[in-house]
Amino acid sequence: MVNEYTSTTVFSQLAAQLVEANATLDATAVVLRMAQDELRHSEICGRVVRAMGGSSQRTRDTRVVAIARHPGCSEEERALRNVIFTTCLSEMNSVAYFVMALERMTDPYVRHVTRSLLADEVLHGRFGFTYLEAWADWLEERPEVRASIGRYLRFAFAVVEREFAAGEHRDAELGRDDESLGVVPVGAAAEVFRETMLGAVVPGLERFDIPAEDAWRRRTLQTG
Ligand SMILES: [Fe+2]
Ligand SMILES: [Fe+2]
């Protein structure tokens, strides 16, 4: 619930960066739609919390983090970097994670809700590659931007790995209730993350001559 709510603020900020980058109205409209999807998702998740006996009230601070400005980058590259980070990397992982969770969960209500969220997340994951398609000619003429995005990806891959591959629950800690809710244990979360990056995201980015394979191999949390 909280994560979906925070995603709303990520996509609404991203929409502003697309305007700065002079992206098409269509592209900006999709990003705003995604912001609204996430708001709806947080509402749906709130209903699940209530169905499970919770109060769907914030129990921790919802921190709004400003999305990266990438100092020194052009507006166009800044938007491309953040689209790649939020959709090609993060949302693509969400899609794979949701699919895995859906396979594990047995509770019919949670299955129904997860399916409806998954449909949107698939669109979110695909958006980044559609955006790259729209910028393919622009990128093709600018090898220095492709190389710069590749350097950024070393850091970006490490950040998403820290966020998604860690997982939240150890296998041994999972009980029958967790299983019926499809909670994904640590090891499986790490595996689904790696498979998604190597099987879908890296080749998807390489298609635009962005050196993603090299960046994946050299991923590091150290900048500069
Ligand atoms: Fe969502
Ligand atoms: Fe999403």
Side-chain angles (χ1 to χ4, degrees):
M1 182 180 77
V2 176
N3 289 349
E4 301 284 345
Y5 196 34
T6 332
S7 295
T8 299
T9 71
V10 171
F11 287 126
S12 50
Q13 292 178 71
L14 186 61
Q17 292 196 350
L18 260 64
V19 173
E20 282 179 334
N22 209 12
T24 61
L25 291 182
D26 282 0
T28 308
V30 175
V31 173
L32 281 173
R33 183 217 133 141
M34 296 198 292
Q36 216 155 4
D37 287 343
E38 304 297 4
L39 196 62
R40 203 160 33 77
H41 293 175
S42 76
E43 212 180 347
I44 293 170
C45 291
R47 282 207 290 273
V48 175
V49 172
R50 283 199 297 280
M52 293 196 295
S55 69
S56 86
Q57 269 173 14
R58 247 181 9 175
T59 52
R60 64 176 163 98
D61 288 340
T62 312
R63 258 186 339 120
V64 176
V65 181
I67 65 170
R69 295 288 301 170
H70 304 292
C73 280
S74 63
E75 282 92 346
E76 293 89 343
E77 184 180 342
R78 178 190 303 145
L80 279 163
R81 284 183 177 201
N82 285 342
V83 165
I84 291 172
F85 182 85
T86 55
T87 63
C88 300
L89 271 56
S90 306
E91 293 282 341
M92 283 293 285
N93 182 72
S94 294
V95 170
Y97 186 93
F98 269 33
V99 169
M100 172 166 257
L102 193 59
E103 275 169 11
R104 301 170 67 95
M105 64 184 62
T106 52
D107 182 89
Y109 172 60
V110 183
R111 279 185 71 83
H112 167 74
V113 167
T114 305
R115 250 196 227 108
S116 74
L117 261 57
L118 180 59
D120 289 332
E121 305 303 1
V122 168
L123 179 132
H124 300 181
R126 224 183 262 155
F127 171 76
F129 296 101
T130 312
Y131 189 77
L132 281 167
E133 200 74 65
W135 286 80
D137 291 342
W138 186 89
L139 273 169
E140 162 125 40
E141 287 163 19
R142 291 170 179 80
E144 73 289 355
V145 175
R146 297 200 306 270
S148 163
I149 292 175
R151 282 193 298 278
Y152 161 68
L153 278 175
R154 292 178 206 164
F155 176 69
F157 277 131
V159 171
V160 285
E161 183 171 45
R162 181 181 58 189
E163 201 170 320
F164 299 127
E168 288 175 345
H169 308 274
R170 314 223 154 268
D171 226 343
E173 290 167 359
L174 298 185
R176 292 254 308 272
D177 283 348
D178 298 307
E179 275 162 29
S180 77
L181 297 174
V183 173
V184 177
V186 179
E191 199 182 305
V192 85
F193 168 75
R194 247 176 288 279
E195 271 174 23
T196 309
M197 293 304 122
L198 281 168
V201 176
V202 166
L205 294 171
E206 285 280 346
R207 215 160 57 76
F208 298 95
D209 286 326
I210 294 169
E213 208 178 307
D214 179 67
W216 169 260
R217 249 183 287 115
R218 297 164 72 178
R219 65 192 184 280
T220 172
L221 286 169
Q222 250 125 44
T223 45

